[in-house]
Amino acid sequence: MNELLSQLNDQQRAAVEYIDGPMVVFAGAGTGKTRVITYRIAYLLNLGVNPYNILAVTFTNKAAQEMKDRLVKLFHQKAENVWVSTFHSLCAKILYTEAKNFGLKKNFVIYDENDSIKLIKECMKEVSIQPTNFSVYDIYELICRAKDNLIDPESYKINAVVSHQYHREIIAEIYSRYQKKLVQNNAFDFNDLIMKTVELFKNEKFVEIKNKYAQRFKYIHVDEYQDVNYSQVVLLKILSSIHHNVCVVGDDDQTIYSWRGSNVNYLLNFKKDFSTKDVEVKEFKITQNYRSKKTILDVSNMLINHNKYRVEKNLFSNIEGEFKNDIKIKQCEHEYDEAEFVAKEILKLQQTEKFCNSAVAVLYRTNAQSRVFEEVFSEYKIPYKIVGSVAFYDRKEIKDIIAYLRVLVNPEDSVSLKRIINIPSRGIGETTILYLETLAKENKTSLWEQIVKIDNTELSLKVKNSVWKFLSLYDLLKKYKDTMYPSEFIKFLIEKINYIEMIEENNRFENKTERMSNIEQLVDIAKNFEVQNNISTIEEFLNSISLFTTADTEEKIEFKNQNQKLKEVVLMTLHSAKGLEFDVVFIVGLVEGVLPIWWVTGTDVGYKNFNIPYDEKNMFYELNYVNIEEERRLCYVGITRTKKLLYLTYYLKRRLWGEEKHCLPSRFLEEILDGYKESSATHTDIISDVQEVEKIDYLTTGEFVVHDKFGVGKVVDIVREPPYDKIVVLFQNGQRKKLSFQHAKLKKLKGYNINQ
DNA sequence: CGGCACTCAGTTTTT
DNA sequence: CTGAGTGCCG
Ligand SMILES: Nc1ncnc2c1ncn2[C@@H]1O[C@H](COP(=O)(O)OP(=O)(O)OP(=O)(O)O)[C@@H](O)[C@H]1O
């Protein structure tokens, strides 16, 4: 026990030892917030608390697994029984376990974004008035945000009506239909998991079930509390309604998911929200950063200090460093040069004694950026691991197999049924399905019912024959479904549906092996689940796999005949890097338009959706609201992942849609460089062995520019036309031109600035 | 019904 | 430029 506490500083220990009553640890990056949660749980276990009574909520499944592993090491095997999971997994498990009590069918499926979008498309076809200016994805987002805020279709409609928002009424109609369809399909989407759980817990009828959980969770912990949304807070309140023992940790500077409905105010208002009549929330702060060198912490501060809406923290680090060794800024000509620079630096580092075994990460704003790095790393034979990117489960083969499994578990799942009914081709095409769907609607039954009752239809014998064949295959598979482990069953399934033959026919010449290997990987994943998570049924496997996505999945690329086994470089988005740490970090693509992303360049805070007419923008703030500060935080999160060595790189040109585009260095770089000027460090400290950063200021209206051809002109307007801003310039010769600043024919005239 | 060719939209981040 | 999605034709 003492050994446990000795691994903490005074501030951390105080938080760990405070175990009666709600508490919040509000502290900056790298101060050991996650460590506090982990050690607090270990501490509780040591005090003899039953692991069964402890809950810990993490942001990703991977983080959950890591915390579990850590707990087992700190305590012992019994720690396995601590419930550590994400909000989504937690709810999925509750719904699954309590299905019967809640009056739900246990064989529900969890729809991912793609499934949901298919369903929404169907709904949109059904409504007479089309919501112009909205993509299916926009609607999906709107529905997600509604669910994050526990707004059901009825309330959504009422809100729309009373606020005279006609467009929202259409959305409400689609939302309502979508929700009905989900029920018909016996499916939940991601946000339903939480919304439904809350809904059921709130229902008087189920008060006993609610109390069972509230009674059980004597100690609740939540990591990354700055990124929770309303529904999660409500759930937390319910779960803590008996013991009021909630311990949350968070850092307002690391809020990077507000686009997903999270709100930092829940962290800032935790005290108000969770204090009770008897106990007030106890607040803790930690000020020592254990992760990063002083220098890196300094740089992170230079950046984040530019955010207006934040709570000042006085972080310090005791790890000495030297600017010129620890932070490198590099300008590259082209995106490809940047990747090459990174590759060469990594190879160089691996030659050094200091960094040969280091954890190295390349962090970027968008998944698309990984591509260049993948190419170049392959060329340089640098092994890498890519987190996220094209989700494994987005691959055709995987989707097919999963869809088969889903239909076997839950034939009412029409999205999956429609996917697989003709894979491989068995002569049941679109027209047949359309016919059966109409029939289903008329008879108020499901597609599946109609398929089963195919005899009573007027379809041709040929089609009927195909359906009969399909049904007998279905019966066969169903018969064996529960006799094997998921991994075995997948193999069995593939064989029975002749899937391999289909792949061979469809891909006679190319990527056959890749497709085969995907299937093999799925079998491996299933096996892993069986061993690691103690999963033995298809149902459990499906539930886990639906929630185990992007940030949890990684793809490893190794290279043979490697003289020594190099540690693989990790490639991922800044979002996925949350909570992690690396010795060496490359933040790449630091250009305006990428980081910060293009639609926030120009307005600091504003609305992004260009399709929606101006006067409607305010109405859909949840879709359009953007904020430069969140981009800055993203960059900040990247920097603070770094322990020892940080590279910030950018380029002047990149290829976009087959065209070369000019880029400007990110304002974040400039902010950091400005910070340098003010600090004791000199300019040359930071960019010792790299090129001088080209200083380019940002144009605002009223400023003057000079153009190669048109001469001097005044900027009269800035037009935000994706993907780049354009400026409207009134030249001295009277010509008015709309120009892209990207085309370097334009230079700013400094002395001319008459604005202020 | 299925396969091929053409169009066009698109790069934000994820449970 | 790519990939998904649609439409047309055999
Ligand atoms: N008291 C301590 N002694 C030694 N190392 C510590 C101590 N506290 C934290 N650390 C180390 O500091 C690093 C950061 O800890 P942790 O990930 O828990 O911080 P965090 O506050 O959750 O970070 P972030 O919010 O940036 O993700 C870890 O490597 C951890 O092991």
Side-chain angles (χ1 to χ4, degrees):
Chain A
M1 178 78 98
N2 274 333
E3 202 204 317
L4 198 72
L5 293 174
S6 74
Q7 294 171 40
L8 301 167
N9 69 28
D10 292 347
Q11 291 170 324
Q12 292 171 330
R13 199 177 311 131
V16 164
E17 287 178 325
Y18 187 83
I19 56 170
D20 287 316
M23 59 173 281
V24 51
V25 178
F26 186 86
T31 51
K33 295 184 294 298
T34 307
R35 191 183 179 101
V36 164
I37 290 189
T38 317
Y39 276 67
R40 189 173 186 264
I41 295 171
Y43 178 76
L44 289 167
L45 293 171
N46 268 311
L47 287 178
V49 173
N50 189 340
Y52 177 83
N53 294 125
I54 303 175
L55 169 69
V57 179
T58 57
F59 203 71
T60 61
N61 293 299
K62 200 167 139 218
Q65 192 57 50
E66 271 162 23
M67 188 174 286
K68 253 192 195 164
D69 293 346
R70 193 101 190 83
L71 282 171
V72 168
K73 273 193 201 131
L74 282 175
F75 186 62
H76 65 81
Q77 208 54 38
K78 265 203 266 174
E80 283 270 338
N81 295 324
V82 174
W83 193 333
V84 189
S85 78
T86 63
F87 275 114
H88 294 269
S89 300
L90 170 76
C91 290
K93 187 113 180 240
I94 291 175
L95 291 173
Y96 185 72
T97 315
E98 305 296 336
K100 210 163 150 217
N101 297 328
F102 278 144
L104 301 168
K105 288 194 222 151
K106 200 165 181 149
N107 59 343
F108 65 81
V109 291
I110 300 165
Y111 272 6
D112 67 11
E113 190 181 306
N114 290 311
D115 304 317
S116 296
I117 282 186
K118 276 193 187 148
L119 224 48
I120 293 172
K121 264 188 196 155
E122 287 179 21
C123 299
M124 285 170 78
K125 278 193 195 128
E126 284 173 21
V127 297
S128 48
I129 312 157
Q130 285 307 307
T132 42
N133 300 323
F134 288 90
S135 68
V136 188
Y137 186 76
D138 284 341
I139 310 257
Y140 172 73
E141 286 271 279
L142 284 168
I143 292 174
C144 285
R145 293 298 78 76
K147 289 184 178 182
D148 285 339
N149 290 300
L150 300 177
I151 300 168
D152 59 23
E154 291 73 39
S155 320
Y156 201 94
K157 176 130 202 178
I158 294 167
N159 287 346
V161 173
V162 299
S163 61
H164 304 291
Q165 296 191 59
Y166 175 66
H167 284 266
R168 275 207 202 274
E169 286 182 47
I170 304 172
I171 310 285
E173 179 59 30
I174 298 171
Y175 182 13
S176 162
R177 282 166 188 269
Y178 169 65
Q179 210 56 20
K180 278 196 196 111
K181 273 195 204 288
L182 282 172
V183 174
Q184 281 163 11
N185 285 294
N186 192 16
F188 293 117
D189 67 17
F190 285 141
N191 294 305
D192 269 349
L193 294 171
I194 297 169
M195 189 168 81
K196 283 288 163 198
T197 307
V198 169
E199 209 176 286
L200 293 165
F201 275 159
K202 273 190 172 169
N203 190 328
E204 273 304 311
K205 252 173 41 196
F206 304 123
V207 70
E208 270 174 34
I209 307 173
K210 182 197 84 178
N211 283 340
K212 186 170 94 188
Y213 285 90
Q215 189 66 47
R216 167 174 177 172
F217 294 130
K218 292 187 177 154
Y219 300 94
I220 301 177
H221 307 78
V222 186
D223 202 359
E224 311 279 13
Y225 196 76
Q226 72 278 2
D227 274 322
V228 294
N229 64 37
Y230 179 69
S231 66
Q232 294 164 339
V233 174
V234 173
L235 179 69
L236 211 52
K237 283 211 148 174
I238 292 171
L239 292 177
S240 64
S241 58
I242 291 179
H243 300 293
H244 302 286
N245 243 325
V246 195
C247 163
V248 307
V249 307
D251 173 8
D252 61 332
D253 287 330
Q254 294 188 65
T255 317
I256 53 175
Y257 281 90
S258 54
W259 49 273
R260 218 174 72 182
S262 71
N263 191 329
V264 68
N265 286 325
Y266 297 121
L267 173 64
L268 302 176
N269 295 334
F270 184 80
K271 186 166 184 172
K272 202 177 91 224
D273 291 346
F274 280 83
S275 290
T276 65
K277 281 196 303 292
D278 314 313
V279 226
E280 189 160 79
V281 165
K282 177 101 175 152
E283 293 176 293
F284 294 89
K285 295 205 160 43
I286 316 172
T287 43
Q288 179 164 0
N289 175 309
Y290 285 90
R291 178 183 296 140
S292 310
K293 287 186 184 171
K294 263 186 178 139
T295 44
I296 289 162
L297 198 59
D298 279 350
V299 167
S300 76
N301 275 323
M302 290 172 195
L303 179 70
I304 204 67
N305 277 334
H306 283 82
N307 271 4
K308 243 163 96 182
Y309 303 99
R310 67 180 288 263
V311 179
E312 178 78 40
K313 297 163 206 73
N314 292 310
L315 291 189
F316 70 95
S317 164
N318 282 339
I319 310 168
E320 294 298 334
E322 247 185 294
F323 280 107
K324 74 167 184 291
N325 293 332
D326 305 340
I327 295 115
K328 315 225 166 176
I329 297 179
K330 172 71 177 173
Q331 170 185 292
C332 303
E333 196 55 34
H334 197 276
E335 204 179 357
Y336 284 96
D337 301 321
E338 181 188 54
E340 205 152 277
F341 168 76
V342 172
K344 282 181 179 157
E345 284 297 304
I346 289 172
L347 290 179
K348 251 196 249 165
L349 289 173
Q350 283 169 340
Q351 307 286 310
T352 64
E353 206 177 308
K354 216 161 148 194
F355 290 108
C356 60
N357 248 330
S358 292
V360 179
V362 177
L363 308 180
Y364 37 77
R365 175 67 233 259
T366 68
N367 281 311
Q369 289 170 265
S370 72
R371 210 161 138 171
V372 183
F373 287 90
E374 289 179 68
E375 278 171 29
V376 174
F377 285 1
S378 300
E379 203 178 299
Y380 281 77
K381 302 251 180 296
I382 297 172
Y384 63 88
K385 187 167 84 178
I386 176 156
V387 178
S389 96
V390 182
F392 180 71
Y393 306 98
D394 272 353
R395 294 173 198 176
K396 276 197 202 72
E397 305 74 47
I398 308 304
K399 275 187 173 169
D400 288 345
I401 307 289
I402 302 277
Y404 261 102
L405 297 178
R406 281 180 171 186
V407 173
L408 282 164
V409 168
N410 169 24
E412 303 301 321
D413 175 358
S414 62
V415 173
S416 302
L417 178 59
K418 279 190 267 182
R419 181 182 183 97
I420 53 103
I421 193 148
N422 210 25
I423 287 181
S425 308
R426 46 170 77 89
I428 310 173
E430 211 167 323
T431 27
T432 309
I433 295 296
L434 219 62
Y435 169 76
L436 290 171
E437 273 189 316
T438 330
L439 223 56
K441 212 173 273 172
E442 277 170 19
N443 301 336
K444 294 208 161 51
T445 57
S446 64
L447 178 62
W448 176 251
E449 278 301 303
Q450 291 304 323
I451 290 175
V452 174
K453 292 185 191 143
I454 192 82
D455 298 13
N456 310 334
T457 65
E458 275 146 36
L459 289 164
S460 72
L461 199 63
K462 192 175 147 236
V463 173
K464 278 188 184 170
N465 249 321
S466 306
V467 175
W468 285 326
K469 256 199 187 146
F470 172 72
L471 282 173
S472 69
L473 172 72
Y474 183 86
D475 286 340
L476 174 82
L477 291 170
K478 185 118 187 162
K479 202 169 111 197
Y480 287 98
K481 176 174 83 76
D482 295 321
T483 66
M484 308 175 202
Y485 277 101
S487 59
E488 290 168 354
F489 186 74
I490 292 170
K491 281 192 244 169
F492 177 75
L493 170 79
I494 289 165
E495 194 195 306
K496 290 294 165 205
I497 62 176
N498 293 327
Y499 200 74
I500 306 287
E501 286 84 339
M502 185 192 98
I503 289 178
E504 286 186 336
E505 265 170 46
N506 291 353
N507 305 281
R508 223 159 301 177
F509 304 109
E510 2 106 53
N511 56 32
K512 206 167 66 187
T513 37
E514 195 190 320
R515 282 159 203 289
M516 304 290 234
S517 110
N518 282 340
I519 295 173
E520 277 162 30
Q521 273 185 60
L522 183 68
V523 174
D524 284 346
I525 288 176
K527 248 187 220 143
N528 252 336
F529 268 106
E530 287 157 19
V531 179
Q532 279 225 339
N533 303 1
N534 224 345
I535 276 173
S536 56
T537 68
I538 309 284
E539 284 84 350
E540 289 169 313
F541 174 63
L542 284 177
N543 282 349
S544 315
I545 215 168
S546 330
L547 296 168
F548 205 87
T549 42
T550 42
D552 306 312
T553 52
E554 44 197 48
E555 188 183 345
K556 286 187 189 180
I557 310 289
E558 279 149 1
F559 294 97
K560 304 221 171 81
N561 61 35
Q562 198 71 63
N563 30 6
Q564 82 258 52
K565 36 179 183 344
L566 297 173
K567 221 173 167 160
E568 69 230 332
V569 177
V570 183
L571 274 73
M572 65 178 134
T573 62
L574 288 157
H575 282 93
S576 308
K578 174 169 170 154
L580 306 178
E581 57 187 26
F582 303 91
D583 298 303
V584 183
V585 170
F586 291 84
I587 301 180
V588 301
L590 272 163
V591 296
E592 286 289 299
V594 176
L595 184 63
I597 201 85
W598 52 269
W599 55 76
V600 296
T601 60
T603 38
D604 280 356
V605 175
Y607 301 93
K608 75 162 183 218
N609 202 322
F610 305 98
N611 294 323
I612 301 176
Y614 183 78
D615 55 340
E616 283 163 27
K617 279 182 184 170
N618 279 324
M619 289 186 184
F620 292 96
Y621 60 89
E622 75 266 47
L623 204 60
N624 297 314
Y625 191 74
V626 291
N627 188 339
I628 185 78
E629 298 211 346
E630 184 142 318
E631 295 291 310
R632 194 176 280 110
R633 286 194 291 269
L634 208 43
C635 189
Y636 175 77
V637 166
I639 295 174
T640 55
R641 301 308 94 199
T642 318
K643 288 174 158 175
K644 299 174 185 158
L645 175 57
L646 172 68
Y647 285 86
L648 304 170
T649 67
Y650 69 100
Y651 41 79
L652 302 174
K653 268 188 276 172
R654 73 171 161 144
R655 248 190 131 65
L656 192 68
W657 300 327
E659 232 184 314
E660 297 267 305
K661 293 274 183 193
H662 288 271
C663 306
L664 302 176
S666 168
R667 69 190 71 185
F668 301 148
L669 275 175
E670 310 213 1
E671 289 168 1
I672 290 167
L673 288 174
D674 284 346
Y676 259 85
K677 278 186 216 143
E678 283 161 29
S679 78
S680 55
T682 63
H683 197 64
T684 47
D685 263 354
I686 195 171
I687 45 174
S688 56
D689 63 339
V690 295
Q691 296 163 42
E692 177 83 16
V693 173
E694 193 182 327
K695 276 293 264 186
I696 301 171
D697 287 318
Y698 296 90
L699 285 167
T700 48
T701 50
E703 288 182 314
F704 288 83
V705 291
V706 60
H707 187 273
D708 280 1
K709 211 155 105 202
F710 306 118
V712 175
K714 184 180 170 184
V715 180
V716 291
D717 199 8
I718 294 174
V719 191
R720 297 177 56 219
E721 261 177 33
Y724 288 110
D725 294 351
K726 297 206 172 55
I727 54 172
V728 179
V729 183
L730 189 62
F731 288 101
Q732 279 177 334
N733 60 12
Q735 275 185 301
R736 206 185 161 92
K737 294 262 173 209
K738 191 150 92 176
L739 302 161
S740 170
F741 190 49
Q742 268 34 55
H743 289 295
K745 282 182 181 141
L746 216 48
K747 290 208 173 55
K748 184 176 159 180
L749 280 182
K750 270 223 160 121
Y752 273 76
N753 196 344
I754 53 165
N755 222 8
Q756 293 145 11

